[in-house]
Amino acid sequence: MCAKVILECHCKGKQDSLAAELLADLRLGDKRDIRSQVFRYLNGELVNSGVFEAVHLAFWRTIVRGDYPLSFLVWLERAYATYDSLEELSKCDAMPVRALLGEAHLQFSAPSAELEKAFARYEAARQLMLGLAAAVEQRTLKTGPDRVKEGVANLESAIRLFGTLKPGADALSASDKFHMAVALHLMDWLFSELPSAEGESLRKANLPLMDRLGALNAYEWQVQRTQDWQHQYNIAEIHGELSLAFPESESARRSADALMRAIRMNPRLADFDAETRFDGVDEPLSKAPALRRILPMLRDEQAEFLADCLSVYRCHAELYAKDPTKGITAMFKDLHKMKAPALQYAIAVVGGAVAGLTMSSFVIDCLLYAKPIF
């Protein structure tokens, strides 16, 4: 994920430039040529690549640009990997997670006037880390609603602070938008961990505010650069949630458009009744309350395109179940042969969408495999 942001925001889409950034951080000099590894890894042809161990260094230097301490990003990497991979702790898992949370308590529980003076986004990042710590606790230790609400409050503060222009700036930075997107994703997941009525009440109170503060625009900005179908789907659900709370708003239209973009990244989503928990979609789209207003709309507006997507998904459902990456690739090949009119955008982004599915380092995929919000 972060590699994609570096590529688009710092390297202007040039993979050679990203290779040069990684070479500098790995101190490999100019003689080593890693361009092919970068190209193959970003396009999903390599499952792992050692050169990407330095992505967090490049991200901190070129995107964060010293806005908060590097140690925060190192902890973020480890914490998000834990949040992303564990739901039920074994005895062996419990102690490392508790140690990780102990580090968070030492680093982030009390503000530092000295660090706040030294780093422009220190307090924003500290609040984000506290919110992530609450999410890790709930995900792994099931600490309960009071701790969840503390995390929501931390994430709201992070969004407010990252969304406030720095002195002398006339726009938010790429780092600001990226971290606002992370905070919104975690916040909406935490809402889903609360008792139903309480979660809906907090969601209705907070999501419109987060939208006004620019967090949803930041989330969409992130997806445009990473072409991550799971996050695009999450955006569709968040707009759908807003449309349920505020029926007269434009949120239903925005939700429908966001879901269509997700389908163009992964045609499997055109099967509204399919249940594919293995890819992170925890329930059929037809059973997702946030989408109930827009699915009939899309069936009417995009009938032919959805039928094509449904057809190729059913042809490759078995392959998709074994390997979503290969399944998506096969589906797009068939769609390309059909030459359906709405596929130009999908064909353009499939490389990025498929590449995102195969990356394993946190700074590339910490968000990609995070639990979608239902």
Side-chain angles (χ1 to χ4, degrees):
M1 184 63 67
C2 292
K4 291 288 186 180
V5 174
I6 296 170
L7 186 67
E8 295 300 318
C9 297
H10 177 70
C11 298
K12 309 302 181 186
K14 297 179 180 178
Q15 294 187 5
D16 287 3
S17 297
L18 177 57
E21 293 287 345
L22 296 173
L23 277 174
D25 284 317
L26 292 168
R27 297 190 175 188
L28 292 174
D30 297 330
K31 296 180 180 180
R32 178 84 175 268
D33 188 352
I34 62 171
R35 290 176 296 176
S36 63
Q37 291 182 63
V38 170
F39 177 81
R40 292 174 64 202
Y41 195 60
L42 289 175
N43 285 280
E45 297 172 19
L46 287 178
V47 175
N48 193 17
S49 174
V51 300
F52 278 85
E53 293 298 321
V55 168
H56 69 288
L57 300 176
F59 186 81
W60 188 82
R61 189 184 65 255
T62 64
I63 303 300
V64 177
R65 301 177 69 87
D67 274 351
Y68 57 75
L70 175 60
S71 61
F72 281 31
L73 186 60
V74 173
W75 186 87
L76 178 64
E77 173 182 359
R78 295 164 56 219
Y80 221 119
T82 300
Y83 162 84
D84 195 38
S85 62
L86 297 174
E87 290 194 46
E88 294 184 6
L89 287 177
S90 68
K91 290 182 179 180
C92 292
D93 295 327
M95 294 305 107
V97 170
R98 290 182 181 279
L100 181 74
L101 295 171
E103 290 178 32
H105 179 75
L106 288 175
Q107 287 196 79
F108 313 126
S109 61
S112 167
E114 182 179 352
L115 290 176
E116 189 165 6
K117 185 177 180 180
F119 297 98
R121 292 302 197 203
Y122 163 77
E123 183 59 20
R126 188 179 76 87
Q127 293 293 333
L128 176 60
M129 303 308 154
L130 290 171
L132 175 54
V136 170
E137 287 185 35
Q138 178 61 20
R139 182 98 162 160
T140 58
L141 304 177
K142 302 300 180 186
T143 43
D146 289 343
R147 187 71 181 99
V148 167
K149 286 183 279 189
E150 287 178 11
V152 168
N154 291 133
L155 294 168
E156 180 182 333
S157 294
I159 289 171
R160 288 181 182 276
L161 292 167
F162 276 115
T164 301
L165 293 179
K166 291 184 284 190
D170 58 5
L172 296 177
S173 69
S175 177
D176 293 331
K177 295 173 184 177
F178 177 86
H179 291 93
M180 290 172 74
V182 172
L184 180 61
H185 175 75
L186 289 169
M187 179 185 288
D188 205 36
W189 181 80
L190 285 174
F191 289 147
S192 71
E193 291 293 291
L194 289 168
S196 179
E198 190 172 18
E200 288 304 313
S201 177
L202 274 178
R203 181 179 277 117
K204 185 174 181 179
N206 281 273
L207 284 183
L209 174 61
M210 297 302 100
D211 191 15
R212 291 196 298 273
L213 291 173
L216 195 45
N217 285 338
Y219 203 178
E220 291 172 335
W221 171 93
Q222 182 198 88
V223 171
Q224 288 170 8
R225 281 147 187 82
T226 61
Q227 298 302 329
D228 176 342
W229 70 265
Q230 287 182 321
H231 282 287
Q232 184 63 65
Y233 178 74
N234 286 353
I235 288 172
E237 281 225 310
I238 292 174
H239 281 305
E241 290 159 359
L242 286 169
S243 75
L244 293 179
F246 305 95
E248 303 303 318
S249 70
E250 293 295 317
S251 295
R253 180 72 266 166
R254 294 171 72 183
S255 179
D257 292 344
L259 182 55
M260 281 307 302
R261 289 192 291 272
I263 293 170
R264 291 185 178 111
M265 295 176 187
N266 182 358
R268 164 266 173 272
L269 296 172
D271 190 341
F272 298 154
D273 296 315
E275 187 168 356
T276 54
R277 292 177 179 269
F278 57 84
D279 63 358
V281 183
D282 289 347
E283 64 182 346
L285 275 64
S286 59
K287 294 184 179 179
L291 302 181
R292 65 177 181 233
R293 292 185 64 196
I294 69 164
L295 295 186
M297 183 191 311
L298 292 183
R299 286 190 178 102
D300 290 340
E301 296 176 353
Q302 303 287 344
E304 183 178 353
F305 177 62
L306 291 174
D308 288 342
C309 291
L310 183 60
S311 174
V312 298
Y313 168 62
R314 289 180 175 171
C315 286
H316 298 288
E318 186 174 344
L319 175 61
Y320 184 77
K322 293 178 180 178
D323 188 326
T325 300
K326 292 180 180 179
I328 291 173
T329 301
M331 285 186 273
F332 272 108
K333 286 181 180 178
D334 284 359
L335 284 171
H336 181 62
K337 292 175 185 176
M338 291 178 180
K339 297 183 179 180
L343 291 179
Q344 294 303 313
Y345 172 72
I347 294 167
V349 304
V350 65
V354 171
L357 282 168
T358 62
M359 299 177 185
S360 59
S361 171
F362 158 77
V363 289
I364 303 172
D365 73 0
C366 69
L367 299 177
L368 179 62
Y369 289 106
K371 175 183 174 183
I373 304 155
F374 296 112

